Amino acid sequence: LKHWASAGLDSSAPGSCCCRGSQEVAEMTMYLLFESAAGFSLFLKKEFEETAETEEEVQNAILDPKKFSKMVSLHAWTPFRDAEDALNQANSISAGTPTEELVNFLEMNLPKKKKGYQLGVYDAELGKELGAQFSVTHGQSVKELLRGCRMHFGRLVKDLSEVDLDRARLGLGHAFSRSRMQLDPNRQDKPIMNTIALLDNLDKNINTFAMRVREWYAWHFPEMTKIVTDNIAYAKVARVVRVRDSFEGDMEALTEACGSEEVAQEVQRAMKMSMGQDIVEMDMKNIDHFALEVIKLAEMRQTLHDYLKAKMDLVAPNLAALIGEIIGARLISHAGSLTNLAKYPASTVQILGAEKA
């Protein structure tokens, strides 16, 4: 009896192990985590068979809503509180970092034992972070099933209408894109490109307007053209002197406009023996107004130059230290972006430098 009993026990031991192993395989449950624009959802795959996942029939069943509803059912669903919460959750998921809300949602709706289930996650980085607490899997079969969940999400979640889902997608898409553009470090070179383009246009306009002021005022005071060579200083002196014969001799204002006392004295001497034509006050008003616009444009250019210098020191400090902020910004503008310029070989940078600025 002992022999038969021991034999029976020995013979039943492998059988019991086989039954237990097959039971564990049968009890293995597949859950699918899907992050939608409206909230987190957990789907349950009704039949988990490794051999059938790659078959063409399964792929076709994913496209059919009726067949897919027999393969996958909704297990749990939690909506986002508001648009701000949805944006915060989307930013964390895109960075591969699970939020506290997501972890709590999974802890509440997944089995306690890791060996009894598998959690399918689309993103591999997010799966690595969740793998410390949950039994996570990700692969092509999981991606295909989640693709079906995304396609038939409105049918599987009864509490959410298609209209509300479309609104959530649209709102989250705009908010997420806006936040990514604001935080994208690669786009910090765009203000530099716009500023250098505006500086080039301002230089052209200042030179053109200053030349017109010189030609206009030279009919009245031609000698000042050779004495005051700087365009901005010329416009300032023209506003101080105005009509040559009626100048009251304010040497302090004239010295400030000329930049030096020697130039101011030379201008004063030239006024007494000028060969220019007389102009009336109406003409002088137009010249004065035009000269004021040149001075304002010059001040705007200086402000933009200071802004460009500060921006270049922040975005491309090494480039600004090597070749200066103006040439560095112009190279970035020619290349299209700072990233493109960094990837260019030396020969291409040489060609960029040889181009007409």
Side-chain angles (χ1 to χ4, degrees), residues 179-323:
S179 66
R180 296 293 288 183
M181 289 177 65
Q182 291 175 352
L183 300 175
D184 188 4
N186 297 326
R187 296 185 63 88
Q188 293 297 318
D189 54 2
K190 298 298 180 183
I192 294 176
M193 297 167 61
N194 292 331
T195 304
I196 192 64
L198 187 56
L199 278 176
D200 291 339
N201 291 332
L202 275 177
D203 286 338
K204 293 179 182 178
N205 292 335
I206 290 173
N207 291 333
T208 302
F209 295 160
M211 183 182 64
R212 295 303 175 192
V213 171
R214 281 178 174 272
E215 291 180 355
W216 202 346
Y217 194 67
W219 284 99
H220 177 61
F221 194 0
E223 292 81 6
M224 197 178 80
T225 304
K226 294 182 179 180
I227 299 173
V228 183
T229 56
D230 184 70
N231 290 332
I232 310 305
Y234 188 94
K236 292 180 180 179
V237 173
R239 295 198 69 218
V240 173
V241 175
R242 295 179 64 86
V243 179
R244 185 184 65 243
D245 297 334
S246 61
F247 180 66
E248 298 178 354
D250 188 0
M251 289 302 297
E252 185 178 354
L254 184 60
T255 302
E256 184 180 356
C258 293
S260 66
E261 188 175 353
E262 292 79 7
V263 177
Q265 292 176 356
E266 192 174 352
V267 170
Q268 189 179 25
R269 288 194 298 267
M271 278 191 286
K272 299 177 182 179
M273 57 185 70
S274 176
M275 301 293 293
Q277 296 181 356
D278 295 333
I279 58 174
V280 296
E281 187 63 27
M282 181 178 65
D283 295 334
M284 192 59 226
K285 281 185 178 180
N286 287 316
I287 296 175
D288 182 75
H289 178 72
F290 206 21
L292 179 61
E293 294 300 323
V294 173
I295 295 172
K296 287 182 178 179
L297 287 176
E299 292 175 352
M300 181 189 298
R301 188 201 180 283
Q302 184 61 39
T303 303
L304 281 174
H305 182 269
D306 295 339
Y307 167 77
L308 178 64
K309 187 178 186 307
K311 200 71 177 176
M312 284 292 292
D313 290 340
L314 180 64
V315 177
N318 296 333
L319 184 65
L322 283 174
I323 58 178

Side-chain angles (χ1 to χ4, degrees), residues 27-68:
E27 289 178 355
M28 180 67 72
T29 308
M30 165 69 85
Y31 293 93
L32 300 170
L33 174 63
F34 180 67
E35 312 93 2
S36 68
F40 294 124
S41 54
L42 198 62
F43 292 96
L44 174 64
K45 189 176 184 302
K46 297 180 180 178
E47 294 180 0
F48 180 53
E49 298 178 1
E50 292 282 351
T51 57
E53 284 184 355
T54 58
E55 294 182 358
E56 186 177 356
E57 291 79 5
V58 177
Q59 302 297 327
N60 294 332
I62 292 176
L63 302 177
D64 190 353
K66 293 183 179 179
K67 292 182 180 180
F68 187 75

Side-chain angles (χ1 to χ4, degrees), residues 139-207:
Q140 188 61 34
S141 59
V142 173
K143 291 181 179 180
E144 291 296 329
L145 289 172
L146 287 173
R147 181 171 64 90
C149 294
R150 182 183 300 107
M151 188 181 304
H152 310 298
F153 185 74
R155 293 174 176 267
L156 295 173
V157 181
K158 304 298 182 181
D159 298 336
L160 188 65
S161 64
E162 287 290 343
V163 176
D164 294 337
L165 182 60
D166 290 340
R167 289 177 179 175
R169 287 170 179 166
L170 183 62
L172 180 59
H174 286 174
F176 184 75
S177 300
R178 194 180 301 115
S179 66
R180 296 293 288 183
M181 289 177 65
Q182 291 175 352
L183 300 175
D184 188 4
N186 297 326
R187 296 185 63 88
Q188 293 297 318
D189 54 2
K190 298 298 180 183
I192 294 176
M193 297 167 61
N194 292 331
T195 304
I196 192 64
L198 187 56
L199 278 176
D200 291 339
N201 291 332
L202 275 177
D203 286 338
K204 293 179 182 178
N205 292 335
I206 290 173
N207 291 333

Side-chain angles (χ1 to χ4, degrees), residues 4-144:
W4 285 108
S6 61
L9 288 173
D10 292 340
S11 61
S12 63
S16 61
C17 292
C18 292
C19 293
R20 196 160 49 243
S22 60
Q23 185 178 4
E24 288 179 358
V25 173
E27 289 178 355
M28 180 67 72
T29 308
M30 165 69 85
Y31 293 93
L32 300 170
L33 174 63
F34 180 67
E35 312 93 2
S36 68
F40 294 124
S41 54
L42 198 62
F43 292 96
L44 174 64
K45 189 176 184 302
K46 297 180 180 178
E47 294 180 0
F48 180 53
E49 298 178 1
E50 292 282 351
T51 57
E53 284 184 355
T54 58
E55 294 182 358
E56 186 177 356
E57 291 79 5
V58 177
Q59 302 297 327
N60 294 332
I62 292 176
L63 302 177
D64 190 353
K66 293 183 179 179
K67 292 182 180 180
F68 187 75
S69 61
K70 296 179 181 179
M71 296 172 57
V72 174
S73 63
L74 180 65
H75 179 68
W77 150 258
T78 176
F80 296 137
R81 294 188 300 271
D82 49 26
E84 184 178 358
D85 182 38
L87 179 59
N88 294 334
Q89 299 292 337
N91 287 329
S92 299
I93 295 299
S94 64
T97 305
T99 60
E100 184 180 356
E101 290 82 357
L102 176 58
V103 174
N104 293 336
F105 170 70
L106 294 176
E107 288 178 348
M108 289 177 60
N109 296 284
L110 287 177
K112 301 301 180 183
K113 295 182 179 180
K114 288 186 178 181
K115 297 182 179 180
Y117 71 93
Q118 282 188 332
L119 176 63
V121 179
Y122 191 91
D123 186 26
E125 295 297 327
L126 181 62
K128 290 180 181 178
E129 296 293 330
L130 292 173
Q133 297 177 264
F134 309 100
S135 177
V136 176
T137 181
H138 54 82
Q140 188 61 34
S141 59
V142 173
K143 291 181 179 180
E144 291 296 329

